[in-house]
Structures are given as C-alpha cells and as structure tokens.
Amino acid sequence: HVQLVESGGGSVQAGGTLGLSCAASGSTYARDRGYCMAWFRQTLGTEREGVAAIDSDGSTSYADSVKGRFTISKDNAKNTLYLQMKSLKPEDTAMYYCAAEPDIAVGGGYCYATVKGNDYNYWGQGTQVTVS
C-alpha cells in the first residue's frame, strides 16, 4: 500500500511562485521504488489533467501548458515528490493531486504527463492552488 500526502498549496498573485510537496509512505512504496510519480490538477466540472511526471530513473515529462514554468523533482532519501511552479497564471488555479503507480503499469511503461489518471491507483488528498 502507498500513502501520499500533499502540502504547500495556497494563494498567489499572477506571475508568482509556489511549491508543492508530496510525501510518500507505506510498506509497498518502501519495498519497491520503481514508481512513476505525477502531479495532476482538476477544476470543478473538468477531468483531472496530468501536469508533470517523473519516473524511477528521474526522467521527467510535462504538459505543454506548463513547460518552462513548472519543474517536477523528487528526493528519494526523503520519499518526497515536488512541484515548483513559477510564472503562475490564473488558469493554473486548480486542486493539485500527486499520484503514484509502478512504472510498468503506467502508460504502457511510459511515465508521461499525458497519461490518464485511470492508470494510477495511489492518490493524495489534494491541495488547492489559487492564482489571482
């Protein structure tokens, strides 16, 4: 089993910077570190959208809408996933979720930001980001 807990959301003005964290834990996660981990976001009435993903080797992938502005990273020693967001826009306003799933079970083995949320079984509770 894998538990994910996000933190770091909040309100920021357009053009500002915000960082999110996602702490991972659980017996399954501790045993097998070969996970694709991703950030998704969702607004009311819309489908959850993949924002960024990072595989167990550290390769990253981004949605076109955030390329050059968002950076996904992870600290394996701390079991923590990060999303650094800069040059924020009002359209970045959403609930942000982190997700995890073994590499081989995501996107046919390709840990891309465009992979649908249905490929992930482990989710955090979400953290709100509001840009005004």
Side-chain angles (χ1 to χ4, degrees), residues 32-85:
D32 179 9
R33 299 298 180 85
Y35 280 82
C36 171
M37 301 192 74
W39 288 98
F40 284 76
R41 65 187 181 187
Q42 187 174 28
T43 56
L44 196 62
T46 67
E47 188 175 335
R48 206 167 283 191
E49 170 196 23
V51 173
I54 184 167
D55 70 12
S56 55
D57 291 331
S59 295
T60 59
S61 170
Y62 297 92
D64 288 342
S65 58
V66 306
K67 279 180 182 176
R69 300 189 300 119
F70 289 13
T71 302
I72 188 171
S73 63
K74 61 180 180 175
D75 186 329
N76 288 331
K78 296 182 178 179
N79 293 338
T80 302
L81 177 73
Y82 302 100
L83 185 68
Q84 186 69 16
M85 304 179 291

